[in-house]
Amino acid sequence: MSESLDATTTNADATVAQVIDTIAETTTDVRTAIFTERGHSDSVNPTGDEQLAADIRADEIFEQRLLAIDGVASYASEEREAVATSAGRLHVAIDPLDGSSNLEPNSGMGTIFGVYTERPPTSGRNLVMSGFVIYGPVTSMLVARDGCVREYLLEDGAKRLVDNEVTVPEDPTVFGFGGGVDSWTDDFETVAESIRAELKLRYGGAMVADINQVLTYGGVFAYPALMSRPEGKLRLQFEGHPMAYILESAGGASSNGDGSLLDTEPTELHERTPLYLGNEQLIERIEAAVER
Ligand code: AHM
Ligand code: MG
């Protein structure tokens, strides 16, 4: 590698490390916002979800902190229409408060993030790191980078490594499918019924927590194509790609019904996608059933 290429890689690595540490540090303020900003706002996000004050606050804090990092060129968020820009080479995409409808019943919520080499909308193959935070009984963080997934506990924003190599357990145990049986297609309903007969239901209404069930116990999470909404509910760039990168780095698989979510490139920043994530054999089984 030439000296200048070497320097570029080193700079990029340093930027990625800074993004991870900044998100970890910012979780203390997000936890505060979950406590203080509990009300509804008058606005909706670009995909039409009603925003809570906490969604807006979390987005503002992340934008301010992440865009201030040298090397971060842009900040794209599920909670804002346009990409905010600065100078740099890497691009952050984030769902600042995933599962915020769990705020009222005081259940799990999280932050999902990814760093891309190209400005979104872009392919999942341009991810260099992704991860998520869970604001549960404790605050934890998963980071996928260089083919490896690590888990940390966060205390006052500081990371403590608890698992150096997170992998999807080989024997699947749990499943969680969003959308509701009445809205599923017949093909998905048939395969879902056969999986339901084999595994245990775990569905909490926050993708971060449900995906962490899959990473902990093995199994599958899906938010499928719905009859009334073939594009599904979840957003490719902010939820699909980062989770696919984590699951695939942990030895699992991802699909939009046709192939890996990482191979898909949104034409619009806030595009939705059907999404299937978990143990490889389960994803293959679902893919065979729903293939378009
Ligand atoms: P959000 O990012 O607006 O909070 O929405 C995403 C959430 C996911 O975390 C979760 O899997 C899904 O929406 C739950 O949807 P539903 O309420 O239809 O079960
Ligand atoms: Mg979300």
Side-chain angles (χ1 to χ4, degrees), residues 78 95 98-99 235 239:
E78 188 177 297
D95 178 359
D98 178 64
R235 276 74 27 157
E239 293 160 320

Side-chain angles (χ1 to χ4, degrees), residues 139-156:
T139 310
S140 63
M141 183 185 215
L142 246 84
V143 176
R145 195 179 171 189
D146 299 328
C148 190
V149 183
R150 295 191 171 83
E151 183 180 16
Y152 304 88
L153 288 184
L154 303 181
E155 205 178 346
D156 294 329

Side-chain angles (χ1 to χ4, degrees), residues 47 49 78 233-240 270-271:
T47 32
D49 304 329
E78 188 177 297
K233 173 185 179 187
L234 298 177
R235 276 74 27 157
L236 176 58
Q237 197 87 79
F238 304 107
E239 293 160 320
H270 295 277
E271 195 168 301

Side-chain angles (χ1 to χ4, degrees), residues 31 108-109 133-141 151-155 160 162 212:
R31 274 241 181 233
M109 278 169 274
V133 172
I134 301 183
Y135 308 99
V138 296
T139 310
S140 63
M141 183 185 215
E151 183 180 16
Y152 304 88
L153 288 184
L154 303 181
E155 205 178 346
R160 177 158 63 83
V162 289
N212 215 33

Side-chain angles (χ1 to χ4, degrees), residues 33-84:
I34 289 170
F35 189 71
T36 57
E37 313 287 320
R38 303 184 62 76
H40 293 260
S41 77
D42 297 333
S43 45
V44 292
N45 75 9
T47 32
D49 304 329
E50 192 192 324
Q51 290 175 306
L52 298 177
D55 284 313
I56 297 173
R57 183 69 193 129
D59 178 47
E60 280 168 1
I61 320 174
F62 280 123
E63 186 230 6
Q64 214 176 43
R65 310 258 170 92
L66 292 170
L67 218 47
I69 297 171
D70 266 352
V72 172
S74 74
Y75 172 91
S77 158
E78 188 177 297
E79 301 303 335
R80 58 177 67 213
E81 195 68 55
V83 179

